[in-house]
Amino acid sequence: MCRHLAYLGPSVPLADLLTAPEHSLYEQSWAPRLQRHGTVNADGFGFGWYPAPDDPPDDPPDDPPGGPARPGRYRRAVPIWADPNLPDLLRTLSSTALLAAVRSATAGTSQDESAAAPFRDGPWLFSHNGAVPDWTRLPDTGLGPAEMLALEAHSDSALLWATLVQRLRRGQPAGAALADVVRRTAAARPTARLNLLLTDGRGIAATRHGDTLWYARADGRVLVASEPDRSGAPWQEVPDHSLLLATPAAVHIAPLRPPGRAPRPSHRADRTPTSPEDADRMTSRFSLETRLPADHTAMALRADVLNGLGAQPRWLPPKWFYDARGSELFEEITRLPEYYPTRAEHEILIRRAPEIAALTRARQLVELGSGSSRKTRVLLDALTAAGTLECYAPLDVSASALEEAGTALCRDYPGLRVQATVADFQRDLVLPEPQGPEQHGPRLLAFLGSTVGNLDTPERRAFHGLLRRTMSGDDALLLGADLVKDRDVLVRAYDDSQGVTAAFNKNVLQVLNRELNADFDLDSFDHLAVWNEDEERIEMRLRSRHQQTVKIPDVDLSLDFARGEELLTELSIKFRRESLTAELAAAGLQVRQWWTDQQRRFALLLIVPD
Ligand code: SAH
Ligand code: TRP
């Protein structure tokens, strides 16, 4: 069902975008690789481009000086490869903005070029990749008879375009208008596929709803397309049911959900927006950008598995615990009677948050490994009360945790922008670029929950250095660190009586089963929490109950586990004041405050660059 593409950036010959790259849109017309429905896109094609700003306007009455440019269009009903004029056009036309599409027509729609995208209104160009079942009887389009008769073509795409134009002409922002059309159409036709693409030559708005969508942004240019070409551009996949807003400077991705549908039933009451306006408001203040490469799970997990499970003793990096189920189980851990760190850190935060707000005067709060952001609310409250905070930027590997936390925070903090990033802070600690006025304000970085203790000592040293280099003079770092204490208290915190930590630990095997087709039998492993006295750390392990062979076909591994053989899944290092302070100082980080809870179980450090 069609492939489409939009581009913004420096002026380039259209051939460079449409035909030159390997697996370009041109090639995708007969050999799409990721298309979910249909086979070839041979029922026409079209593209629209914008005149250069200093070109004489093509239609003066419509173009007030300085106003948006009206794009030109070229559409044909033949397959893109069957138009002998095309190579010359693409070679000689250049533009800073383009929208192009190849069509695979839905039965019962116009077959002439009037139904080929892009559709146009004023500065807008639009394309639809998908299909709306029974579209001629779609209720609540809001279109009157005059507008119905003025439809440019007899097709679902032309109908969607007319409903969208109505909203754009009323001045609704592009993203909100697209989200609205998708939500309403999906509510009436749940199986509709609605990948929409819209540009005014200055920004791109797109939805992914049922088919694939990718973007690539680098060097002042941005591409949004149904599927990536093989030009070497840094393509990233957009999650399904998302709204994407892109300019050459930034890409924002926000979840798009029909009202009333929340991802996790237990939270439905909390998360459902109360009205379409409410949903729009939430959507526009919440953005989620994915920094993980599209093949992250595939490639990084494979590499970690080969590296870690192939080694002796066997180990796995802890970030793979946190799929949606893992993030949920971790939340359960934080509520266990035996797991004191969350409560102890919460206690310190409640007591010290006003001081933290006064000392930092942060305009942006960036949190690494934010999870549910539950404790963070104490900081958000204090920074909001102090009147300095504009933006909260959580970063986590768990997209589900970010989505859940972010939408709830937008609902509960009406003045706050939440700019979430899915990333691995060990691989790629590029802090989210502030998108608002807080650009020059002080930032507070938070790294809570003693997640720093899950990094091995060399990794942790490197990480401190990375943090120091990322911080500017007026930034501060708030670090949560669990302290050395009685062995039994520690072991119980990581081996609770209800078996939640055991389930969390074994969940990593489930991740391997799902992602790499492994055949781990969870009941053949025991959960173990061991206090390593010399290293002053808890080690979480999984111990094989009997001799067994586990197959991981996707990485061609066959692993023999002896009875009692252990796999190391997590370290949780416990800290002492002197050594931690020295370690931070070695990285150029100075501890300004060291606060503990009443029982001195946990420490919260306020740190500045020295
Ligand atoms: N800060 C929360 C959650 C701590 S659990 C609290 O204090 O309760 C650790 C969190 O870090 C999880 O949400 C996990 O998804 C995230 N995480 C673990 N490794 C990560 C990595 N390499 N990059 C980004 N996030 C990571
Ligand atoms: N940072 C937390 C800690 O070390 C992570 C954690 C809590 C954890 N409970 C866990 C990791 C159980 C693995 C297993 O305390």
Side-chain angles (χ1 to χ4, degrees):
M1 268 301 120
C2 315
R3 305 276 82 186
H4 55 204
L5 168 149
Y7 166 83
L8 299 175
S11 183
V12 285
L14 301 189
D16 287 6
L17 301 168
L18 293 182
T19 48
E22 200 184 323
H23 201 63
S24 62
L25 189 75
Y26 184 65
E27 209 176 304
Q28 289 168 27
S29 68
W30 68 85
R33 291 189 303 145
L34 304 181
Q35 191 161 322
R36 297 246 175 116
H37 300 271
T39 47
V40 295
N41 300 290
D43 302 315
F45 70 96
F47 55 92
W49 69 102
Y50 291 79
D54 48 353
D55 282 358
D58 59 331
D59 195 356
D62 273 2
D63 283 324
R70 246 166 70 88
R73 262 194 314 176
Y74 182 79
R75 301 182 297 164
R76 297 290 313 273
V78 299
I80 193 169
W81 64 83
D83 181 345
N85 305 313
L86 192 67
D88 271 351
L89 281 178
L90 297 184
R91 186 175 57 78
T92 53
L93 280 172
S94 290
S95 182
T96 56
L98 169 80
L99 190 149
V102 287
R103 177 166 190 234
S104 161
T106 308
T109 59
S110 309
Q111 304 294 320
D112 62 298
E113 72 232 17
S114 67
F119 295 92
R120 179 176 68 177
D121 189 72
W124 298 105
L125 290 174
F126 169 79
S127 154
H128 166 218
N129 157 207
V132 181
D134 198 16
W135 60 275
T136 53
R137 280 190 294 245
L138 195 66
D140 304 330
T141 55
L143 300 176
E147 286 143 330
M148 286 301 245
L149 287 168
L151 287 187
E152 192 173 356
H154 182 77
S155 77
D156 48 354
S157 309
L159 180 68
L160 290 174
W161 173 231
T163 64
L164 188 60
V165 163
Q166 258 194 335
R167 291 172 171 79
L168 296 172
R169 287 188 179 164
R170 282 202 305 261
Q172 196 174 7
L178 278 189
D180 201 21
V181 168
V182 170
R183 272 196 217 105
R184 281 166 197 259
T185 311
R189 295 287 182 273
T191 58
R193 295 190 305 279
L194 299 160
N195 279 35
L196 310 184
L197 184 62
L198 178 72
T199 182
D200 63 354
R202 294 185 290 200
I204 297 170
T207 58
R208 173 171 176 179
H209 187 95
D211 208 314
T212 53
L213 189 71
W214 295 68
Y215 75 91
R217 186 180 74 81
D219 311 326
R221 62 187 72 210
V222 65
L223 282 159
V224 177
S226 308
E227 60 185 83
D229 60 29
R230 290 198 210 116
S231 62
W235 288 101
Q236 307 255 4
E237 186 164 10
V238 178
D240 205 3
H241 308 293
S242 305
L243 171 70
L244 171 143
L245 299 174
T247 66
V251 173
H252 284 276
I253 298 170
L256 185 73
R257 221 169 267 121
R261 216 192 100 208
R264 298 230 306 263
S266 57
H267 294 268
R268 180 169 297 161
D270 286 354
R271 304 205 39 207
T272 307
T274 51
S275 65
E277 294 71 35
D278 186 26
D280 286 343
R281 228 175 17 246
M282 279 169 41
T283 305
S284 62
R285 282 189 291 114
F286 177 57
S287 69
L288 185 123
E289 181 170 9
T290 304
R291 288 253 173 118
L292 294 178
D295 55 2
H296 172 76
T297 311
M299 301 314 287
L301 178 61
R302 275 183 169 75
D304 285 350
V305 163
L306 284 170
N307 231 336
L309 289 188
Q312 281 299 337
R314 304 191 205 272
W315 65 281
L316 274 175
K319 63 178 175 234
W320 302 110
F321 282 125
Y322 299 96
D323 65 345
R325 175 79 186 127
S327 296
E328 252 171 31
L329 284 168
F330 181 76
E331 269 310 289
E332 263 187 70
I333 289 178
T334 63
R335 289 192 285 264
L336 291 169
E338 295 97 334
Y339 193 72
Y340 64 85
T342 305
R343 276 185 300 279
E345 192 177 36
H346 199 213
E347 176 192 321
I348 311 171
L349 281 166
I350 288 175
R351 176 121 177 262
R352 303 297 179 178
E355 235 170 306
I356 295 167
L359 286 169
T360 61
R361 305 202 52 74
R363 297 174 77 176
Q364 194 194 12
L365 173 61
V366 179
E367 182 172 7
L368 307 176
S370 49
S372 70
S373 304
R374 217 150 41 87
K375 281 171 297 190
T376 318
R377 289 173 174 247
V378 180
L379 287 173
L380 294 173
D381 289 340
L383 288 164
T384 312
T388 58
L389 189 70
E390 285 155 14
C391 172
Y392 172 52
L395 182 151
D396 206 289
V397 274
S398 169
S400 65
L402 286 170
E403 213 185 292
E404 176 127 358
T407 38
L409 288 171
C410 280
R411 187 199 57 216
D412 297 342
Y413 293 82
L416 188 69
R417 252 177 335 102
V418 177
Q419 196 183 322
T421 308
V422 187
D424 177 343
F425 54 61
Q426 280 187 274
R427 263 170 60 125
D428 170 25
L429 188 69
V430 184
L431 297 188
E433 280 171 44
Q435 304 294 333
E438 74 279 4
Q439 243 148 352
H440 304 293
R443 275 185 313 194
L444 176 60
L445 271 65
F447 194 28
L448 304 179
S450 207
T451 304
V452 70
N454 303 132
L455 305 177
D456 203 355
T457 303
E459 283 180 323
R460 199 171 61 246
R461 297 220 162 104
F463 192 67
H464 292 327
L466 199 62
L467 279 175
R468 173 64 191 87
R469 288 191 295 280
T470 318
M471 289 169 75
S472 29
D474 56 357
D475 292 342
L477 167 68
L478 197 62
L479 184 70
D482 196 18
L483 302 176
V484 174
K485 62 182 63 62
D486 179 69
R487 174 189 170 280
D488 290 345
V489 175
L490 284 169
V491 170
R492 273 202 299 277
Y494 294 86
D495 193 3
D496 64 281
S497 60
Q498 298 168 50
V500 180
T501 311
F504 176 73
N505 196 5
K506 290 184 182 188
N507 181 58
V508 76
L509 302 181
Q510 199 72 68
V511 170
L512 302 189
N513 285 352
R514 186 185 62 232
E515 298 295 337
L516 302 176
N517 288 310
D519 63 355
F520 281 100
D521 169 25
L522 274 54
D523 293 332
S524 297
F525 289 86
D526 285 320
H527 162 73
L528 230 63
V530 178
W531 174 241
N532 180 332
E533 185 75 51
D534 295 338
E535 306 278 351
E536 297 196 318
R537 67 191 193 194
I538 287 281
E539 295 176 5
M540 292 229 315
R541 305 181 192 162
L542 289 168
R543 179 190 281 163
S544 175
R545 282 200 183 158
H546 43 81
Q547 203 270 321
Q548 56 182 318
T549 303
V550 176
K551 295 219 157 40
I552 316 183
D554 289 15
V555 284
D556 257 337
L557 266 188
S558 171
L559 300 170
D560 292 320
F561 282 91
R563 179 191 166 139
E565 186 173 346
E566 290 173 356
L567 161 63
L568 179 67
T569 51
E570 176 80 296
L571 300 177
S572 187
I573 291 166
K574 304 304 163 189
F575 297 95
R576 293 178 185 272
R577 182 168 185 168
E578 223 170 281
S579 46
L580 180 55
T581 306
E583 183 180 307
L584 289 163
L589 294 167
Q590 186 196 335
V591 178
R592 275 197 54 192
Q593 303 285 341
W594 173 282
W595 295 301
T596 68
D597 60 312
Q598 297 252 302
Q599 298 179 50
R600 296 172 193 253
R601 294 169 295 181
F602 200 93
L604 188 68
L605 289 66
L606 187 67
I607 294 164
V608 293
D610 61 14

